[in-house]
Amino acid sequence: MTGQPRGWTVVCPLTRLDPGRGVAALVDGVQVALFRTAADLFAIDNRDPVTDAYVLSRGIVGSRGGAPTVASPLHKQTYDLRTGDCLDLPGVAVRWHEVRCRAGLVEVRLRKEA
Amino acid sequence: MRKGRLVVIGNGMVGQRFVDALRARDSDDRWRVTVLGEEPQPAYDRVRLSALFDGVGAAELNLHTPDPRVRLRLGAAVTAIDRTRRVVTTTADEHPYDALVLATGSYPFVPPIDGIGLPGVFTYRTLDDLAAIRAHARGRRRGAVIGGGLLGLEAANALRLLGLATSVVEFAPRLMPVQVDTAGGALLRRYVEELGVACRLGVATSALHPGPDGVVAQLELADGGRVDADLVVVAAGIRPRDELARAAGLPLGSRGGVLVDRAGRTADERIWAVGECAAVDGTCHGLVAPGYAMAETVADRLVGGAATVPDADTATKLKLLGVDVASFGDAHGTTPGCLDVTFTDPATRVYAKLVLSDDAQTLLGGVLVGDADAYPTLRASVGQALPAAPLALLAPAGAGTGVAALPGSTQVCSCNAVTRADLDAAIAGGAADVPALKAGTRAGTSCGSCVPMLRQLLDAAGVGQPRGLCEHFEVSRQELFDLIRVRGIRTFSSLIAEHGRGDGCDICKPVVASILASLGTGHLLDGEQASLQDTNDHFLANLQRDGSYSVVPRIPGGEITPEKLIVLGEVARDFALYTKITGAQRIDLLGARVEQLPQIWRRLVNAGFESGHAYGKALRTVKSCVGSTWCRYGVQDSVGLAIVLELRYRGLRAPHKIKAAVSGCARECAEARGKDFGIIATDAGWNLYLGGNGGFRPRHADLFATDLTTEALVRLVDRFLMYYIRTADRLQRTAAWIEAMDGGLEHLSAVIVDDSLGLCAELDAAMARHVGSYSDEWRDVLEDPARLSRFTSFVNAPEVPDPSIRFTEERGQRVPAGTRETENRQPVGLGTPRVRR
Ligand SMILES: Cc1cc2nc3c(=O)[nH]c(=O)nc-3n(C[C@H](O)[C@H](O)[C@H](O)COP(=O)(O)OP(=O)(O)OC[C@H]3O[C@@H](n4cnc5c(N)ncnc54)[C@H](O)[C@@H]3O)c2cc1C
Ligand code: SF4
Ligand code: FES
């Protein structure tokens, strides 16, 4: 990724997202996994760092403790949707991205790697 | 010292409790006890009688533990008491007594209506009543209950569970008139009607009319209305069984019942009465808790104590209907000067009323409709200072703050008079879970409503409890299954709101999805259910390591026509899918991208294929050998049977995958004994083997039944599968399930062959529902644009295929490329020496 600050990309209408489920989106050429929970929107990388497959958007959404989570559909490692941290493997994480809803449209802005 | 002769008439709930209490106290062995019971069974838990319709077996209701110091005579109805000679007479013999305890309970009141004696009209009191109802319900369509009280609603639910369209006719203008007030009653009615039970309130039944077969067919109401019903349950109240006392000249209460004082003694100092037949200070109670209190009192008196019967606890909670209703204490606010606090939330449809003392400091009683979570705590707080502000007590979380804050003298279990201090002592003494607390203190063993408080006390004491499914549910899969089934829960969100915490996870969501599917609740991609499915079920395909999916159409019994085989080949070629024959006699097409799945399936469905459920925890295949049609050794048509079975059980969701096979003779070419259910042909029919599996820990199936006809075989497999689905743990294959069962294969045989739990009719009905409601999941997806819309690569770029899925070629087919694993992969060595160059 280049160092340019990026803008917001409109991805889809909010109604296209089912609560408790994710979808994949292409934002500036990056595969993003976008989730809608009962109360919130989250975006993280779609790539599962453990298997290298682009599948996180297809995991089951839930919670652990108070954290909203998604579990990789391949080997079930669970990630905190807010931070991208893997809650099962120390040191493993995916990037999280900014997401918001404006006028019924979901928008995503990529964050550079920390 | 000569032992006294103690005779107890009646071996019901209270009679049994009396004997237990006496035995526990009579350490000097003062009494020789004889119990005379009219029913053929020893004492059972009448309160939980309706659980028989939810798959609980009669044996589980048993309350009687044999005691060598107690003589129990069953089927022995007492016909007379001779107070001068001090003997009681049964139809067969006489029993002299020094002390006599009447525990004869009540009988159902049957109003004198025209036609009330018709076949098809039942009361609802005993095991025999319920057996008769179950037998009559078979093949009937409509039921009616006369009486809309606690018992009537319970009976209505039972009829509903038996598959009857049910109506309730109640003379009072509201349901449960004794317990709830007008506002609560109106809300209750709405809940009950939503369950599909029709309510006719404020009207009497004036006659019952038979149909042409002489069986009841219709109720005529006083307002001229008619209700069709070919099964009628009368639940119009109960009357104390005081006939023996009356004939013996003992005084009765003004409204019946054997009159006793606070010691439980009748006018004859040698005769006592306990339970529903007793009128303490003139009042009878139709609940078990006051009866137990009398039993304890009289037991104490008979060993020289001075106990007195406390004021009756008449708290009640509606069980089983999936509607929360509870009333306790002075629910109708009859205490002089008392205050009401009511709370109505139209959004959540909760109605609550608390009755407080005139200074608003003490809780006197209340009514809850729609959400009775606070019931156990509130019930335990009656007569005490309010543990919190009234509204805080009623708020949804209020129940949770409850019991730990209550003083030690609070009765946590009212049925068994167990206080918080008793429970704390038991926990300190090592009771680490609810069963241990129940065994040690008896708390929670009657109506069960205090069990949540037992859990809270264990939690508060920091004692480890058996782990539930996951952090979101404290219960096991089986308990969850029963909750969902019995309470008619249809969505994950209501389930977790009422019985769990948090938002769920990849453990509990698929479990609930599978339970909902087993209970036949519509397509798995509809509404909220879609969000529960794991990715395989969500895309109706198997996720592979690279993010692509595989497609496995059903090929029942492994039999396929050349035309269909050609279609498979063409589809695989056109979508460039890697093709492999699986171990289960079908064909796996691998490497499909999400957005290709509907295109692939459209072609397959058009060619007559349907989903093979390779992606689901469901029946996979019924493999077969070629059988007697071709094989010179074959004795039965194994292919034909395999196809019948595969089509019967296709789509059946289960705690884990289910595999099966049929071999046409003892040579066992289909490897049937490696399957969850395997069938091997014999000259006379089929042998059935259960509980095998391959995989990580291979296990041969055990022989379960021999020389079965096809019909008998199918019936056994039906029940085996349904019982497994209901009771197994998450991800427990049948082998482990049988192993974990108390009594193993023999128990299984008792349940599904001898019907020891009285469950078979229900299991059969559940399977019939499954078979009748099957439809191909893939066809259903293709016909529905909303479901199809999920099959896109990127929500904002559906035309762009996932660029991360890339292939390389191996042995003439495409295989995943570019993942770490494939890059590092070495060709398979052939065991030949490498040639050095
Ligand atoms: C379906 C159902 C649901 C219920 N739900 C609840 C509930 O949720 N909460 C609650 O508190 N209560 C409930 N009850 C009521 C509860 O079951 C009774 O209060 C309790 O069983 C009373 O116990 P008992 O021993 O007095 O009477 P019973 O349990 O009726 O026992 C009396 C026994 O005496 C026998 N007997 C009678 N006459 C003679 C004779 N002459 N000779 C020999 N034997 C005789 C009878 O056959 C019977 O077995 C329910 C009852 C039913 C039917
Ligand atoms: S099991 Fe028997 S019938 Fe079937 S193929 Fe083998 S030998 Fe033939
Ligand atoms: S309150 Fe009924 S069992 Fe405890």
Side-chain angles (χ1 to χ4, degrees):
Chain A
M1 302 302 108
T2 68
Q4 291 285 320
R6 295 170 192 282
W8 289 94
T9 305
V10 174
V11 171
C12 64
L14 181 65
T15 50
R16 184 68 176 71
L17 304 182
D18 294 331
R21 200 83 229 180
V23 297
L26 265 185
V27 179
D28 299 332
V30 173
Q31 286 203 31
V32 172
L34 194 57
F35 300 92
R36 177 174 177 187
T37 62
D40 237 325
L41 291 169
F42 297 98
I44 59 175
D45 276 351
N46 193 27
R47 180 175 160 276
D48 175 355
V50 177
T51 59
D52 237 1
Y54 287 70
V55 295
L56 288 185
S57 58
R58 302 181 211 152
I60 289 183
V61 175
S63 68
R64 186 180 291 184
T69 57
V70 65
S72 164
L74 277 166
H75 293 301
K76 316 289 179 203
Q77 295 86 4
T78 296
Y79 296 85
D80 187 330
L81 287 175
R82 300 166 306 186
T83 61
D85 289 338
C86 180
L87 301 176
D88 296 311
L89 303 172
V92 176
V94 295
R95 276 194 304 172
W96 62 273
H97 303 289
E98 293 174 279
V99 57
R100 68 184 183 192
C101 180
R102 289 192 137 196
L105 295 176
V106 179
E107 303 178 352
V108 173
R109 183 161 70 180
L110 295 186
R111 271 173 73 257
K112 283 182 294 165
E113 205 97 39
Chain B
M1 192 173 87
R2 185 182 79 91
K3 279 197 194 178
R5 291 164 303 183
L6 172 64
V7 173
V8 182
I9 307 181
N11 186 223
M13 295 189 72
V14 175
Q16 180 66 38
R17 167 55 72 90
F18 164 76
V19 172
D20 292 346
L22 182 84
R23 289 282 46 134
R25 284 167 216 234
D26 185 13
S27 43
D28 314 334
D29 238 356
R30 275 198 238 183
W31 293 104
R32 214 179 66 214
V33 184
T34 302
V35 180
L36 304 170
E38 169 195 69
E39 290 188 70
Q41 308 87 355
Y44 53 87
D45 190 347
R46 208 177 298 287
V47 170
R48 287 178 60 219
L49 204 54
S50 298
L52 289 176
F53 293 121
D54 292 323
V56 167
E60 285 177 62
L61 300 184
N62 175 50
L63 292 177
H64 175 77
T65 31
D67 182 333
R69 298 169 304 171
V70 177
R71 283 202 307 164
L72 173 63
R73 293 277 180 278
L74 294 174
V78 173
T79 50
I81 303 170
D82 184 337
R83 288 168 53 199
T84 351
R85 287 173 53 224
R86 298 214 301 267
V87 290
V88 300
T89 319
T90 70
T91 41
D93 50 11
E94 291 199 333
H95 299 267
Y97 66 81
D98 297 306
L100 176 64
V101 175
L102 303 178
T104 49
S106 303
Y107 64 91
F109 170 64
V110 178
I113 302 174
D114 254 6
I116 201 81
L118 287 172
V121 181
F122 301 91
T123 54
Y124 200 84
R125 175 92 192 165
T126 62
L127 280 174
D128 290 352
D129 286 341
L130 267 69
I133 290 171
R134 186 196 292 278
H136 185 79
R138 226 158 265 160
R140 315 269 167 188
R141 304 240 311 280
R142 267 185 281 275
V145 178
I146 301 178
L150 207 51
L151 188 63
L153 290 180
E154 228 182 281
N157 192 47
L159 299 190
R160 214 169 56 101
L161 292 175
L162 288 171
L164 304 184
T166 305
S167 312
V168 170
V169 183
E170 165 61 49
F171 177 65
R174 60 176 185 272
L175 294 169
M176 289 179 69
V178 181
Q179 288 85 10
V180 305
D181 52 18
T182 310
L187 185 56
L188 173 59
R189 176 186 188 151
R190 274 168 57 196
Y191 276 114
V192 170
E193 287 184 332
E194 273 168 27
L195 290 168
V197 174
C199 300
R200 305 293 289 263
L201 307 183
V203 59
T205 308
S206 49
L208 304 180
H209 301 295
D213 56 355
V215 172
V216 70
Q218 198 178 54
L219 284 71
E220 184 184 329
L221 308 184
D223 62 4
R226 306 256 167 172
V227 175
D228 289 332
D230 37 22
L231 191 165
V232 175
V233 173
V234 181
I238 52 172
R239 297 287 182 271
R241 290 190 67 171
D242 53 14
E243 65 271 13
L244 290 173
R246 183 192 307 258
L250 288 170
L252 305 181
S254 55
R255 300 168 69 196
V258 189
L259 190 64
V260 296
D261 58 16
R262 287 269 168 163
R265 200 189 318 238
T266 66
D268 181 331
E269 60 166 12
R270 292 181 181 269
I271 305 184
W272 313 73
V274 294
E276 288 187 346
C277 67
V280 183
D281 293 343
T283 310
C284 291
H285 293 288
L287 294 169
V288 74
Y292 279 175
M294 292 180 227
E296 299 283 344
T297 305
V298 172
D300 183 66
R301 291 276 174 164
L302 284 174
V303 296
T308 54
V309 179
D311 283 340
D313 178 356
T314 55
T316 40
K317 187 164 182 221
L318 179 61
K319 305 182 301 273
L320 294 170
L321 205 63
V323 181
D324 270 1
V325 187
S327 81
F328 53 94
D330 180 10
H332 291 281
T334 53
T335 310
C338 65
L339 307 169
D340 281 3
V341 178
T342 56
F343 169 88
T344 318
D345 182 347
T348 52
R349 303 203 304 169
V350 170
Y351 166 83
K353 178 173 95 176
L354 294 186
V355 179
L356 309 177
S357 60
D358 50 5
D359 58 358
Q361 295 301 309
T362 310
L363 182 64
L364 299 177
V367 178
L368 305 170
V369 179
D371 175 7
D373 280 354
Y375 170 69
T377 322
L378 291 174
R379 177 183 178 184
S381 310
V382 170
Q384 314 233 5
L386 276 180
L391 282 181
L393 287 174
L394 293 175
T401 58
V403 65
L406 296 174
S409 59
T410 309
Q411 246 185 39
V412 172
C413 176
S414 320
C415 290
N416 298 289
V418 183
T419 62
R420 154 118 210 248
D422 298 336
L423 289 162
D424 285 345
I427 294 172
D433 55 15
V434 171
L437 273 184
K438 281 185 175 176
T441 65
R442 288 192 116 135
T445 54
S446 304
C447 75
S449 72
C450 58
V451 169
M453 291 200 289
L454 304 188
R455 290 216 185 86
Q456 285 176 32
L457 284 174
L458 287 163
D459 276 344
V463 176
Q465 291 176 56
R467 267 181 57 83
L469 199 56
C470 61
E471 69 172 63
H472 306 102
F473 289 98
E474 278 171 13
V475 295
S476 66
R477 178 188 176 275
Q478 180 183 350
E479 290 168 312
L480 214 51
F481 193 104
D482 289 338
L483 262 176
I484 295 174
R485 183 169 56 89
V486 174
R487 312 206 65 172
I489 296 170
R490 288 294 168 262
T491 64
F492 182 81
S493 44
S494 59
L495 178 71
I496 200 163
E498 284 171 39
H499 304 285
R501 62 168 80 95
D503 296 331
C505 66
D506 57 312
I507 293 171
C508 57
K509 281 184 165 181
V511 166
V512 173
S514 154
I515 293 172
L516 289 173
S518 304
L519 291 171
T521 50
H523 196 278
L524 68 173
L525 295 189
D526 283 351
E528 192 197 63
Q529 237 168 299
S531 74
L532 308 179
Q533 312 294 345
D534 92 24
T535 185
N536 283 3
D537 278 312
H538 196 237
F539 290 116
L540 308 169
N542 291 49
L543 178 65
Q544 303 300 320
R545 63 185 311 156
D546 62 340
S548 70
Y549 288 83
S550 76
V551 168
V552 189
R554 184 167 299 292
I555 302 178
E559 182 187 81
I560 186 164
T561 61
E563 285 72 25
K564 284 178 117 174
L565 202 51
I566 289 168
V567 172
L568 286 182
E570 286 172 348
V571 168
R573 182 194 59 209
D574 296 350
F575 289 88
L577 302 172
Y578 172 95
T579 307
K580 170 134 188 14
I581 300 200
T582 72
Q585 302 188 330
R586 43 194 191 174
I587 295 174
D588 204 348
L589 309 173
L590 294 103
R593 294 187 312 267
V594 167
E595 73 277 12
Q596 291 178 314
L597 290 170
Q599 305 162 24
I600 292 170
W601 271 105
R602 183 152 280 134
R603 287 187 46 187
L604 293 175
V605 167
N606 285 342
F609 285 102
E610 59 178 13
S611 167
H613 299 99
Y615 46 82
K617 304 274 179 269
L619 176 88
R620 295 288 171 81
T621 63
V622 183
K623 180 178 171 178
S624 66
C625 74
V626 77
S628 61
T629 315
W630 293 92
C631 176
R632 62 198 158 116
Y633 299 112
V635 294
Q636 306 280 354
D637 176 12
S638 51
V639 182
L641 180 67
I643 293 175
V644 166
L645 295 176
E646 186 158 340
L647 295 182
R648 183 170 181 82
Y649 304 125
R650 63 188 164 180
L652 185 65
R653 289 298 198 285
H656 209 310
K657 65 186 168 195
I658 300 171
K659 297 185 171 185
V662 184
S663 281
C665 82
R667 286 176 183 73
E668 242 282 69
C669 296
E671 300 167 318
R673 293 194 63 197
K675 307 296 181 198
D676 293 282
F677 61 96
I679 294 143
I680 301 179
T682 66
D683 291 332
W686 309 101
N687 283 356
L688 173 62
Y689 294 79
L690 296 180
N693 56 237
F696 185 63
R697 200 159 67 100
R699 186 182 186 285
H700 262 165
D702 296 310
L703 180 60
F704 186 76
T706 53
D707 294 333
L708 297 163
T709 62
T710 304
E711 198 184 34
L713 171 89
V714 168
R715 184 157 1 104
L716 285 185
V717 176
D718 280 1
R719 293 175 181 174
F720 164 70
L721 292 176
M722 275 300 165
Y723 190 48
Y724 167 62
I725 289 172
R726 283 202 173 182
T727 60
D729 273 338
R730 166 179 178 264
L731 300 186
Q732 190 175 40
R733 286 288 294 268
T734 55
W737 171 65
I738 295 172
E739 258 168 47
M741 216 178 265
D742 210 3
L745 217 54
E746 268 167 39
H747 172 77
L748 183 62
S749 161
V751 174
I752 69 175
V753 180
D754 310 329
D755 201 7
S756 63
L757 301 182
L759 252 186
C760 289
E762 239 181 85
L763 299 176
D764 293 346
M767 187 58 85
R769 265 197 307 277
H770 164 75
V771 173
S773 65
Y774 168 82
S775 87
D776 175 23
E777 283 162 10
W778 259 110
R779 177 185 288 278
D780 297 341
V781 165
L782 294 175
E783 286 168 357
D784 183 334
R787 294 171 186 155
L788 273 175
S789 70
R790 298 175 203 281
F791 294 83
T792 40
S793 52
F794 298 106
V795 67
N796 59 343
E799 70 293 346
V800 181
D802 181 346
S804 72
I805 297 180
R806 283 172 295 123
F807 298 99
T808 172
E809 189 140 317
E810 198 173 273
R811 292 182 296 276
Q813 296 205 72
R814 295 202 319 182
V815 296
T819 62
R820 273 200 293 265
E821 290 81 355
T822 40
E823 275 157 7
N824 299 340
R825 204 165 52 184
Q826 299 295 319
V828 179
L830 289 179
T832 47
R834 286 248 174 111
V835 180
R836 275 172 209 262
R837 264 187 279 186

